[in-house]
mmCIF file of all heavy atoms in Angstrom:
data_model
loop_
_atom_site.group_PDB
_atom_site.id
_atom_site.type_symbol
_atom_site.label_atom_id
_atom_site.label_comp_id
_atom_site.label_asym_id
_atom_site.label_seq_id
_atom_site.Cartn_x
_atom_site.Cartn_y
_atom_site.Cartn_z
ATOM 1 N N VAL A 1 110.142 51.271 96.025
ATOM 2 C CA VAL A 1 111.329 50.910 95.262
ATOM 3 C C VAL A 1 112.354 52.033 95.287
ATOM 4 O O VAL A 1 113.551 51.802 95.487
ATOM 5 C CB VAL A 1 110.959 50.567 93.807
ATOM 6 C CG1 VAL A 1 112.211 50.293 92.985
ATOM 7 C CG2 VAL A 1 110.023 49.366 93.776
ATOM 8 N N ALA A 2 111.890 53.245 95.056
ATOM 9 C CA ALA A 2 112.770 54.403 95.007
ATOM 10 C C ALA A 2 111.962 55.659 95.224
ATOM 11 O O ALA A 2 110.764 55.691 94.945
ATOM 12 C CB ALA A 2 113.497 54.482 93.659
ATOM 13 N N SER A 3 112.604 56.697 95.713
ATOM 14 C CA SER A 3 111.937 57.979 95.890
ATOM 15 C C SER A 3 112.886 59.101 95.517
ATOM 16 O O SER A 3 114.109 58.927 95.494
ATOM 17 C CB SER A 3 111.436 58.156 97.323
ATOM 18 O OG SER A 3 112.512 58.205 98.244
ATOM 19 N N ILE A 4 112.296 60.247 95.238
ATOM 20 C CA ILE A 4 113.082 61.418 94.884
ATOM 21 C C ILE A 4 112.410 62.647 95.465
ATOM 22 O O ILE A 4 111.196 62.823 95.364
ATOM 23 C CB ILE A 4 113.255 61.532 93.352
ATOM 24 C CG1 ILE A 4 114.152 62.719 92.994
ATOM 25 C CG2 ILE A 4 111.908 61.614 92.646
ATOM 26 C CD1 ILE A 4 114.602 62.705 91.535
ATOM 27 N N SER A 5 113.184 63.492 96.098
ATOM 28 C CA SER A 5 112.657 64.695 96.713
ATOM 29 C C SER A 5 112.471 65.786 95.671
ATOM 30 O O SER A 5 112.878 65.655 94.512
ATOM 31 C CB SER A 5 113.584 65.185 97.817
ATOM 32 O OG SER A 5 114.785 65.694 97.270
ATOM 33 N N SER A 6 111.883 66.887 96.104
ATOM 34 C CA SER A 6 111.675 68.000 95.190
ATOM 35 C C SER A 6 112.990 68.602 94.703
ATOM 36 O O SER A 6 113.034 69.181 93.616
ATOM 37 C CB SER A 6 110.822 69.081 95.859
ATOM 38 O OG SER A 6 111.451 69.580 97.024
ATOM 39 N N ASP A 7 114.054 68.468 95.501
ATOM 40 C CA ASP A 7 115.345 69.007 95.096
ATOM 41 C C ASP A 7 116.265 67.971 94.460
ATOM 42 O O ASP A 7 117.421 68.265 94.169
ATOM 43 C CB ASP A 7 116.047 69.686 96.267
ATOM 44 C CG ASP A 7 116.433 68.732 97.386
ATOM 45 O OD1 ASP A 7 116.250 67.508 97.235
ATOM 46 O OD2 ASP A 7 116.932 69.213 98.416
ATOM 47 N N GLY A 8 115.753 66.743 94.286
ATOM 48 C CA GLY A 8 116.503 65.752 93.552
ATOM 49 C C GLY A 8 117.236 64.696 94.354
ATOM 50 O O GLY A 8 117.868 63.810 93.761
ATOM 51 N N SER A 9 117.184 64.750 95.668
ATOM 52 C CA SER A 9 117.823 63.705 96.455
ATOM 53 C C SER A 9 117.043 62.409 96.299
ATOM 54 O O SER A 9 115.813 62.423 96.200
ATOM 55 C CB SER A 9 117.934 64.106 97.918
ATOM 56 O OG SER A 9 116.650 64.309 98.485
ATOM 57 N N THR A 10 117.748 61.289 96.289
ATOM 58 C CA THR A 10 117.119 60.013 95.969
ATOM 59 C C THR A 10 117.328 58.966 97.044
ATOM 60 O O THR A 10 118.276 59.027 97.836
ATOM 61 C CB THR A 10 117.639 59.458 94.639
ATOM 62 O OG1 THR A 10 119.063 59.307 94.711
ATOM 63 C CG2 THR A 10 117.295 60.394 93.494
ATOM 64 N N TYR A 11 116.434 58.002 97.040
ATOM 65 C CA TYR A 11 116.512 56.839 97.906
ATOM 66 C C TYR A 11 116.191 55.615 97.071
ATOM 67 O O TYR A 11 115.319 55.661 96.199
ATOM 68 C CB TYR A 11 115.505 56.942 99.059
ATOM 69 C CG TYR A 11 115.189 55.599 99.682
ATOM 70 C CD1 TYR A 11 115.996 55.056 100.668
ATOM 71 C CD2 TYR A 11 114.087 54.856 99.248
ATOM 72 C CE1 TYR A 11 115.724 53.816 101.212
ATOM 73 C CE2 TYR A 11 113.812 53.612 99.791
ATOM 74 C CZ TYR A 11 114.632 53.091 100.773
ATOM 75 O OH TYR A 11 114.366 51.852 101.315
ATOM 76 N N TYR A 12 116.889 54.498 97.355
ATOM 77 C CA TYR A 12 116.634 53.249 96.660
ATOM 78 C C TYR A 12 116.552 52.095 97.644
ATOM 79 O O TYR A 12 117.341 52.020 98.598
ATOM 80 C CB TYR A 12 117.732 52.938 95.644
ATOM 81 C CG TYR A 12 117.836 53.954 94.545
ATOM 82 C CD1 TYR A 12 118.742 55.003 94.633
ATOM 83 C CD2 TYR A 12 117.024 53.874 93.416
ATOM 84 C CE1 TYR A 12 118.829 55.949 93.621
ATOM 85 C CE2 TYR A 12 117.110 54.813 92.406
ATOM 86 C CZ TYR A 12 118.012 55.849 92.513
ATOM 87 O OH TYR A 12 118.103 56.786 91.511
ATOM 88 N N GLU A 13 115.611 51.213 97.406
ATOM 89 C CA GLU A 13 115.550 49.978 98.157
ATOM 90 C C GLU A 13 116.808 49.173 97.829
ATOM 91 O O GLU A 13 117.304 49.209 96.701
ATOM 92 C CB GLU A 13 114.278 49.221 97.780
ATOM 93 C CG GLU A 13 113.918 48.078 98.695
ATOM 94 C CD GLU A 13 114.582 46.790 98.274
ATOM 95 O OE1 GLU A 13 114.757 46.580 97.058
ATOM 96 O OE2 GLU A 13 114.929 45.994 99.163
ATOM 97 N N ASP A 14 117.319 48.459 98.810
ATOM 98 C CA ASP A 14 118.610 47.799 98.653
ATOM 99 C C ASP A 14 118.704 46.903 97.417
ATOM 100 O O ASP A 14 119.741 46.868 96.747
ATOM 101 C CB ASP A 14 118.938 46.970 99.897
ATOM 102 C CG ASP A 14 119.321 47.818 101.088
ATOM 103 O OD1 ASP A 14 119.613 49.008 100.909
ATOM 104 O OD2 ASP A 14 119.330 47.279 102.216
ATOM 105 N N SER A 15 117.645 46.192 97.122
ATOM 106 C CA SER A 15 117.699 45.222 96.035
ATOM 107 C C SER A 15 117.824 45.857 94.650
ATOM 108 O O SER A 15 118.163 45.160 93.690
ATOM 109 C CB SER A 15 116.475 44.310 96.070
ATOM 110 O OG SER A 15 115.294 45.011 95.750
ATOM 111 N N VAL A 16 117.553 47.150 94.538
ATOM 112 C CA VAL A 16 117.624 47.799 93.231
ATOM 113 C C VAL A 16 118.756 48.806 93.121
ATOM 114 O O VAL A 16 118.962 49.376 92.040
ATOM 115 C CB VAL A 16 116.289 48.487 92.862
ATOM 116 C CG1 VAL A 16 115.128 47.512 93.014
ATOM 117 C CG2 VAL A 16 116.057 49.730 93.707
ATOM 118 N N LYS A 17 119.487 49.019 94.190
ATOM 119 C CA LYS A 17 120.602 49.971 94.160
ATOM 120 C C LYS A 17 121.620 49.569 93.097
ATOM 121 O O LYS A 17 122.000 48.414 92.990
ATOM 122 C CB LYS A 17 121.283 50.043 95.524
ATOM 123 C CG LYS A 17 120.490 50.761 96.587
ATOM 124 C CD LYS A 17 121.247 50.803 97.908
ATOM 125 C CE LYS A 17 120.459 51.537 98.973
ATOM 126 N NZ LYS A 17 121.165 51.523 100.282
ATOM 127 N N GLY A 18 122.025 50.548 92.325
ATOM 128 C CA GLY A 18 122.989 50.297 91.265
ATOM 129 C C GLY A 18 122.371 49.838 89.972
ATOM 130 O O GLY A 18 123.063 49.785 88.946
ATOM 131 N N ARG A 19 121.089 49.501 89.999
ATOM 132 C CA ARG A 19 120.420 49.020 88.801
ATOM 133 C C ARG A 19 119.319 49.970 88.326
ATOM 134 O O ARG A 19 119.097 50.105 87.124
ATOM 135 C CB ARG A 19 119.802 47.640 89.041
ATOM 136 C CG ARG A 19 120.823 46.578 89.419
ATOM 137 C CD ARG A 19 120.188 45.183 89.448
ATOM 138 N NE ARG A 19 119.129 45.069 90.443
ATOM 139 C CZ ARG A 19 117.861 44.782 90.161
ATOM 140 N NH1 ARG A 19 117.489 44.556 88.904
ATOM 141 N NH2 ARG A 19 116.963 44.685 91.136
ATOM 142 N N PHE A 20 118.621 50.603 89.279
ATOM 143 C CA PHE A 20 117.516 51.497 88.954
ATOM 144 C C PHE A 20 117.928 52.942 89.214
ATOM 145 O O PHE A 20 118.707 53.229 90.128
ATOM 146 C CB PHE A 20 116.290 51.188 89.813
ATOM 147 C CG PHE A 20 115.613 49.879 89.518
ATOM 148 C CD1 PHE A 20 116.176 48.936 88.666
ATOM 149 C CD2 PHE A 20 114.394 49.597 90.108
ATOM 150 C CE1 PHE A 20 115.539 47.731 88.410
ATOM 151 C CE2 PHE A 20 113.745 48.400 89.861
ATOM 152 C CZ PHE A 20 114.312 47.468 89.016
ATOM 153 N N THR A 21 117.365 53.846 88.435
ATOM 154 C CA THR A 21 117.589 55.269 88.627
ATOM 155 C C THR A 21 116.258 56.003 88.544
ATOM 156 O O THR A 21 115.556 55.899 87.536
ATOM 157 C CB THR A 21 118.550 55.839 87.578
ATOM 158 O OG1 THR A 21 119.798 55.144 87.630
ATOM 159 C CG2 THR A 21 118.800 57.322 87.843
ATOM 160 N N ILE A 22 115.926 56.725 89.596
ATOM 161 C CA ILE A 22 114.712 57.524 89.603
ATOM 162 C C ILE A 22 115.062 58.962 89.232
ATOM 163 O O ILE A 22 116.108 59.480 89.629
ATOM 164 C CB ILE A 22 114.009 57.454 90.977
ATOM 165 C CG1 ILE A 22 112.631 58.122 90.928
ATOM 166 C CG2 ILE A 22 114.874 58.060 92.074
ATOM 167 C CD1 ILE A 22 111.798 57.896 92.187
ATOM 168 N N SER A 23 114.199 59.592 88.466
ATOM 169 C CA SER A 23 114.410 60.972 88.076
ATOM 170 C C SER A 23 113.059 61.636 87.864
ATOM 171 O O SER A 23 112.025 60.969 87.838
ATOM 172 C CB SER A 23 115.274 61.074 86.815
ATOM 173 O OG SER A 23 114.649 60.428 85.718
ATOM 174 N N ARG A 24 113.080 62.948 87.714
ATOM 175 C CA ARG A 24 111.833 63.667 87.497
ATOM 176 C C ARG A 24 112.068 64.856 86.587
ATOM 177 O O ARG A 24 113.150 65.452 86.565
ATOM 178 C CB ARG A 24 111.221 64.119 88.829
ATOM 179 C CG ARG A 24 112.053 65.152 89.595
ATOM 180 C CD ARG A 24 111.580 65.292 91.043
ATOM 181 N NE ARG A 24 110.213 65.761 91.126
ATOM 182 C CZ ARG A 24 109.459 65.700 92.228
ATOM 183 N NH1 ARG A 24 109.959 65.158 93.336
ATOM 184 N NH2 ARG A 24 108.216 66.158 92.212
ATOM 185 N N ASP A 25 111.043 65.203 85.843
ATOM 186 C CA ASP A 25 111.034 66.390 85.009
ATOM 187 C C ASP A 25 109.849 67.215 85.477
ATOM 188 O O ASP A 25 108.708 66.959 85.093
ATOM 189 C CB ASP A 25 110.911 66.021 83.537
ATOM 190 C CG ASP A 25 111.042 67.225 82.627
ATOM 191 O OD1 ASP A 25 110.815 68.363 83.080
ATOM 192 O OD2 ASP A 25 111.375 67.031 81.438
#
């Protein structure tokens, strides 16, 4: 669905772009 790198860059599957947000602490 989505991924996030160690430095914070993100990827989203097309169907969820603009609706989902991935983050990490």
Side-chain angles (χ1 to χ4, degrees):
V1 176
S3 65
I4 183 168
S5 70
S6 60
D7 65 5
S9 62
T10 58
Y11 159 85
Y12 297 95
E13 193 272 326
D14 287 345
S15 68
V16 308
K17 287 181 179 177
R19 300 188 298 119
F20 291 9
T21 302
I22 188 171
S23 61
R24 65 194 298 165
D25 186 338

